[in-house]
Amino acid sequence: MPLSSSSSFCFLWRTTVFQKHKDGTLFKSIRYSCAHNQFWNFCFPYRPFHPTTQLLRRLWTVRYDFELPSGSHNLKSLSCCLKDNVKESNCSVILLAGGSGKRMNSNIPKQYLLLHGKPVLEYSLELFLSVKQVFQVIIVMDLHYKVFLRPHLIQDPRIEFACPGKERQDSVYNGLQKVKSSADLVCIHDAARPLVSREIIEKCFSDAAVHGAAVVGVPSKSTIKESVDGSFVYRTLDRTRLWEIQTPQVIRPELLRRGFVKVNDESVTVTDDVSIVEKLGEPVKLTLGEYSNIKLTTEEDLKVAEYILLSRKTETMETAVNS
């Protein structure tokens, strides 16, 4: 099916949607092109074709913004250039720093403890502020602890504050109310994960921009057994299908808002953010993360984090010397 190489892909799909209502055969041709050029599988892996009405709704919601490569007039060439042509998204970050950290045996929450001379929270905050796509950071925290943050950071005009809720999803919801309407993506990250890397953040942003929602995770290393009563093994789960989920978790704001309506109406409690999207029956892309992106929960975790930071510093110095 010939297409104009000067038109944006978003516009082309919307045009086809309109034309579909006038000519049913055109839509049949589009489905054929998707199947044979792997566009559908790229956008929605592991999902079958939707009925017409659902497919049209999904195409409208996802809003792909790319152009055909120069000199190309056919949908066939898209499969090899999709990732390179995805438009950069504006991202609002909800940084969760409202936990009490009782298992850390400290008189202040763990996100304000010093890690190599700097509060744990500042590692994530400084990193996100340095990411090009981030234009807003909402810190969900008890404002009494603002004194633990360096003044030049909290004076950044991109930073806003929200109050923590009773549960994690309540804190995320409070942060979501501050997200600006111009945000293409919402990134939720635990301040207790100070070792996340820029590469993983950007990969997760990219995956969410294409698929609507993405979560960082790593394949499970441990054998996981399920117990019904907490005393005896019920069954052993297939480790090859299990992933340990981390943060960041990145979601299109309209998806997250629809998800919150559903879980609040049904009084459902979720323990991570993309579970809200799963409740809608929408796909969530797994972004391969790093095992070093640990969550600080106990005193031992702090020691491990210090070792990882020291190793990274040593590696950077060695690279500089050898270059």
Side-chain angles (χ1 to χ4, degrees):
M1 183 176 63
L3 299 171
S4 168
S5 61
S6 61
S7 302
S8 75
F9 195 65
C10 176
F11 173 77
L12 289 169
W13 270 110
R14 292 187 181 188
T15 302
T16 357
V17 168
F18 291 139
Q19 289 177 350
K20 188 287 163 185
H21 296 292
K22 301 174 186 176
D23 181 0
T25 59
L26 178 61
F27 181 71
K28 185 181 273 187
S29 172
I30 292 167
R31 287 183 54 156
Y32 182 86
S33 295
C34 286
H36 286 267
N37 293 291
Q38 300 181 325
F39 178 75
W40 177 270
N41 289 334
F42 178 87
C43 296
F44 316 114
Y46 315 116
R47 293 181 69 105
F49 277 120
H50 286 256
T52 302
T53 53
Q54 292 186 36
L55 177 59
L56 295 181
R57 175 181 61 78
R58 182 182 289 276
L59 289 173
W60 186 268
T61 302
V62 173
R63 291 200 334 253
Y64 291 94
D65 295 313
F66 15 24
E67 295 181 357
L68 289 169
S70 177
S72 172
H73 303 280
N74 197 298
L75 201 63
K76 190 175 181 179
S77 60
L78 274 173
S79 59
C80 64
C81 66
L82 290 175
K83 289 187 178 179
D84 294 335
N85 290 327
V86 173
K87 185 181 177 182
E88 210 166 69
S89 303
N90 290 326
C91 188
S92 291
V93 175
I94 299 175
L95 193 53
L96 299 176
S100 58
K102 294 177 182 177
R103 284 176 285 181
M104 194 63 78
N105 294 323
S106 171
N107 57 356
I108 62 171
K110 59 190 175 186
Q111 54 270 27
Y112 308 111
L113 294 174
L114 293 182
L115 177 61
H116 274 210
K118 189 164 69 173
V120 167
L121 169 59
E122 287 195 8
Y123 284 89
S124 300
L125 180 56
E126 287 181 333
L127 181 56
F128 278 110
L129 287 173
S130 70
V131 174
K132 185 179 175 183
Q133 298 98 311
V134 172
F135 77 115
Q136 180 187 29
V137 177
I138 302 152
I139 307 176
V140 182
M141 64 180 290
D142 184 334
L143 295 182
H144 289 101
Y145 293 108
K146 279 176 69 174
V147 294
F148 288 96
L149 299 177
R150 287 179 287 175
H152 80 277
L153 281 176
I154 58 176
Q155 288 168 6
D156 190 299
R158 291 172 291 173
I159 290 181
E160 298 183 40
F161 295 91
C163 295
K166 183 179 179 182
E167 304 292 341
R168 177 198 173 87
Q169 72 190 68
D170 301 319
S171 294
V172 173
Y173 183 81
N174 291 348
L176 183 60
Q177 306 317 300
K178 297 285 186 84
V179 169
K180 294 179 179 178
S181 59
S182 55
D184 298 312
L185 299 171
V186 177
C187 169
I188 302 142
H189 184 66
D190 291 326
R193 291 189 186 271
L195 302 178
V196 66
S197 68
R198 177 189 296 273
E199 180 185 1
I200 296 305
I201 291 171
E202 291 177 347
K203 278 171 59 179
C204 198
F205 281 6
S206 178
D207 284 345
V210 172
H211 299 281
V215 58
V216 174
V218 290
S220 177
K221 291 180 177 180
S222 304
T223 297
I224 308 294
K225 295 187 182 291
E226 182 180 354
S227 173
V228 176
D229 59 7
S231 297
F232 293 91
V233 172
Y234 171 61
R235 61 175 175 169
T236 302
L237 302 178
D238 182 0
R239 185 175 64 186
T240 62
R241 301 179 63 184
L242 300 179
W243 283 64
E244 297 174 27
I245 295 305
Q246 306 173 347
T247 64
Q249 303 189 14
V250 186
I251 307 165
R252 286 196 179 277
E254 62 269 21
L255 263 184
L256 190 56
R257 291 190 179 101
R258 279 202 292 127
F260 264 114
V261 170
K262 185 173 179 64
V263 297
N264 289 338
D265 286 348
E266 298 176 0
S267 300
V268 174
T269 300
V270 296
T271 55
D272 79 332
D273 315 301
V274 294
S275 295
I276 296 174
V277 178
E278 293 169 43
K279 295 291 182 184
L280 293 172
E282 299 288 346
V284 176
K285 180 72 169 68
L286 283 166
T287 301
L288 181 62
E290 298 167 334
Y291 289 98
S292 59
N293 183 22
I294 63 172
K295 186 174 183 179
L296 305 187
T297 304
T298 66
E299 294 176 78
E300 288 75 20
D301 294 331
L302 265 179
K303 293 174 184 176
V304 173
E306 287 176 351
Y307 174 78
I308 293 171
L309 283 174
L310 186 60
S311 298
R312 287 180 179 178
K313 186 176 180 180
T314 303
E315 185 178 323
T316 302
M317 291 174 64
E318 288 176 352
T319 301
V321 169
N322 295 329
S323 61

